[in-house]
Each structure stands twice: as C-alpha cells, then as structure tokens.
Amino acid sequence: MMEEYRGVWVFIEQNDGKIEGVSLELLGAGRKLADKLEVPLSGVLLGYKVKPLSQEVISYGADQVYVVDHEVMKDYRTESYMQAVINLAEKYKPEIFLYGATANGKDLASAVATDLSTGLTADTTMLDVELEKRLLEASRPAFGGNIMATILCKKHRPQMATVRPKVMKALEPDPSRQGKVIEEPITLKEEDMRTKVLKIVKDVTKKVNLADAHVVVAGGKGMGDLQGFQLIHELADSIGATVGGTRDVVEAGWLPHEQQIGQTGETITPKIYFAIGISGAIQHIVGMKNSEFIIAINKDPEAPIFDVATYGIVGDAMEIVPKLIKQFKEARERGGEISYV
C-alpha cells in the first residue's frame, strides 16, 4: 500500500571521504519537500569508514542518516550499492528518493528503479510536490529543450529522480544541528561480488573547469564565425574569466564539448555570467540561470536571454565587446584589480 511510504531520502554520494556537492544541493531541495510533506529528510550514506560524514549530512539539513559502512562498499559497484539501497528502501519505505545525476548516481538510480519496479525521472531541473496526493513533481526539459515536462509517478513508490548538479541550492550548514544516525548491517561479502575493482585510474589531463569558475564569458552563434568568437576569448582573458559556449558553438567546432553550457553540457553557477550573442533557448538557460549576475549582450531586444539577465545591453556584440575589452585592459594597466568576492 502506498500509504506505508513516508519520508524524503537523498543518496549521499561520496568519493575518497568527501561528499559530492550535488548531494549537499539535494539536501537543500529535499529539505523543502520534506517540510511541505511534514516528514523527515534522510540521507543514505554508503561506503567504508564513512560514518564520520554523517554529521556533515545532518548539518546540511538531514534529520537522520542511514549508514552502510563496510569494506565491501569501499568502491562504487552497481551490485553492492544497489543491494544495500534496495534493502533499505524495502525496510523503511521512503516516498521520495533523490539522486545526483552523476555517472554513479544515474547508474545506481536506474538499477534500483528497475528492481523496485518504480518510476525514475532523469536529469530533473525543478522539484516540487502536490500535497493532496503527495506526488513528486519532477520537471525537466523535453523535446530538445523546447518544453518543460513535469513527470509524475502516480502508482508506484518510491518516487525517484536524478537531479543535475548546480541546479539546486545547498543550505548553509549548521554544525550544531542534531540528527539521528542509523547504522544498517550488510550481509554481502567480497567473495560474493561478481565484479572486482582492480585499479582506479584518475584522469589527470588538464580540462577547463567551468563548474568552479567565478566568472564565465559565454558566446553563441551570434558571434558570426570562429574569427568573431575570438572576441569571447579576448574578453575572458582581459578579466581572468573562463570561456563557455552554446551547443551551436560546440557543434560548429569553435569550442570543445567540455566547454558547452546547457541541457546537454555543463550546469554552472558563477558569480558573473556574460551571455554574448546568445538568444537564450531553454536548453541553454537550464545550464546558467542560477548565476548570481547575468550580463546579456544581444542585438535582438526580444531575445529570451533578457528575461533572465540581471543587466542587458541591446546592440551588436561585434561593436560592444571590443569596447569592453579596451576598458578592462586600460583599467588593469592603471593598476586596477578585479575582485569577484
């Protein structure tokens, strides 16, 4: 019976003893859902020697933490993590279960949903609840990002969703917050595992890290061509920013995929975001709408980007950007410093 299912859960993803940022963000979102439904918010923490992380989970909003701490859980494997989560879900019956849309989060969520015969909304960007029927309203871009679809799971529990990093806001941590830690035993043994972790090879190649950038200068097809897009690089260099772009720009070969911002690229939350020559399609907006300040430059006064912009400049980017570059360079030559605190 669905009435037996109560509570909001968040899968707490951790690597090398550090909780992933998306899990802390989901605790913030989960707190709002749990308060609306008047139920506890729980974190699900799996790993080896991870129990000390429980207080951090509580400080970010959880009322309680289910901990499965065992050597067999040291490295992520679908088989062991899925079995642990299924055992917990069948025993305690949550009504909502949220996961980060990371490689491990998506893998685990899909495996758990299959075994529990329930629904799963992938890459969610908005969450809410319909109180009368206690339905999770999980919204995400659909049909190439042209509409926002709200997906409901009316007949099965738990209701599950993966949520993209950087689209939710973490709460300010409260180290004094009190909560309950529930340790759950596990009967799995290493010899029972069909897969073995032989070696973990970390990627040490240098990549542009958009997710951690304080200032991002992003360009769209409105820059005209590859030569015109060089102005984006010049502006970024003049203020010490990171370069990003739209899907059209990446498909045109002006930027590599890791610098794409939007539904099929990175979701970012910089302090300052320059959107230059970008019309503002919903696919792109999803990836940058939570920036603190958005400065848009576009010659079309009706461009959707202005709907989310903090400041907007209507004009030709090919004329405006060189003037900005000149002003920033002159300011720095005079000894000016740029601070984003």
Side-chain angles (χ1 to χ4, degrees):
M1 298 293 290
M2 289 199 295
E3 292 76 12
E4 298 176 350
Y5 291 82
R6 286 291 183 269
V8 178
W9 284 15
V10 173
F11 171 64
I12 306 300
E13 185 172 350
Q14 58 80 29
N15 284 297
D16 296 328
K18 182 179 179 181
I19 297 174
E20 292 290 331
V22 66
S23 297
L24 303 179
E25 294 160 13
L26 285 180
L27 287 170
R31 182 72 269 162
K32 294 178 182 178
L33 300 180
D35 288 345
K36 281 188 175 183
L37 293 167
E38 299 181 342
V39 295
L41 171 66
S42 304
V44 176
L45 179 61
L46 312 180
Y48 182 48
K49 297 182 178 179
V50 295
K51 185 181 176 183
L53 296 176
S54 300
Q55 181 53 45
E56 183 178 359
V57 177
I58 292 168
S59 73
Y60 274 91
D63 298 304
Q64 55 192 25
V65 186
Y66 295 103
V67 180
V68 179
D69 196 322
H70 193 279
E71 192 169 6
V72 76
M73 310 297 288
K74 180 177 182 293
D75 299 308
Y76 177 80
R77 284 176 286 185
T78 308
E79 184 181 7
S80 55
Y81 272 56
M82 177 187 73
Q83 192 58 57
V85 169
I86 289 169
N87 289 344
L88 287 169
E90 289 180 338
K91 181 176 180 180
Y92 293 104
K93 295 180 167 48
E95 57 190 309
I96 293 173
F97 201 162
L98 307 176
Y99 306 73
T102 62
N104 289 349
K106 289 189 285 189
D107 178 72
L108 177 61
S110 59
V112 171
T114 300
D115 198 276
L116 294 179
S117 299
T118 192
L120 172 65
T121 304
D123 288 328
T124 304
T125 58
M126 291 189 293
L127 295 170
D128 205 346
V129 286
E130 190 279 304
L131 290 176
E132 184 179 351
K133 296 183 178 179
R134 306 181 72 86
L135 291 173
L136 174 66
E137 297 176 337
S139 301
R140 54 156 296 161
F143 292 101
N146 293 311
I147 64 168
M148 289 295 292
T150 298
I151 300 169
L152 309 176
C153 181
K154 295 183 177 181
K155 298 181 179 181
H156 302 276
R157 294 292 182 273
Q159 304 165 89
M160 304 208 323
T162 62
V163 182
R164 295 189 67 171
K166 300 290 185 180
V167 299
M168 303 295 170
K169 294 281 188 180
L171 300 174
E172 286 295 322
D174 178 4
S176 65
R177 198 167 186 277
Q178 299 295 309
K180 186 177 181 182
V181 177
I182 303 166
E183 294 187 72
E184 285 291 317
I186 187 169
T187 58
L188 290 174
K189 298 178 181 178
E190 185 59 41
E191 52 266 30
D192 299 329
M193 296 294 100
R194 291 174 293 180
T195 57
K196 309 293 181 185
V197 179
L198 302 179
K199 185 178 181 181
I200 296 176
V201 180
K202 295 186 178 181
D203 186 358
V204 295
T205 58
K206 284 190 175 182
K207 292 183 179 180
V208 174
N209 192 351
L210 278 169
D212 294 333
H214 290 299
V215 182
V216 173
V217 177
K221 287 300 290 292
M223 299 309 296
D225 54 24
L226 180 58
Q227 183 176 352
F229 197 82
Q230 295 310 304
L231 287 173
I232 300 297
H233 291 281
E234 291 180 33
L235 178 58
D237 288 341
S238 72
I239 57 176
T242 301
V243 172
T246 61
R247 178 177 176 175
D248 288 343
V249 162
V250 171
E251 290 180 346
W254 301 354
L255 282 178
H257 183 266
E258 59 262 27
Q259 288 175 261
Q260 180 181 325
I261 299 162
Q263 180 186 352
T264 54
E266 291 287 330
T267 301
I268 60 174
T269 55
K271 292 182 179 294
I272 302 175
Y273 185 83
F274 287 87
I276 304 174
I278 294 172
S279 63
I282 191 172
Q283 299 98 313
H284 184 76
I285 297 295
V286 163
M288 45 63 75
K289 65 180 180 179
N290 287 328
S291 305
E292 289 189 29
F293 289 94
I294 299 170
I295 302 168
I297 302 173
N298 199 292
K299 61 184 178 182
D300 178 7
E302 303 299 323
I305 192 68
F306 290 123
D307 294 335
V308 297
T310 312
Y311 303 105
I313 302 173
V314 178
D316 188 344
M318 308 307 291
E319 297 177 2
I320 295 170
V321 174
K323 294 178 181 179
L324 290 176
I325 294 170
K326 182 174 182 291
Q327 291 292 321
F328 284 127
K329 285 184 175 179
E330 288 178 354
R332 300 190 83 165
E333 288 170 0
R334 292 194 299 267
E337 294 185 2
I338 299 174
S339 175
Y340 305 118
V341 178

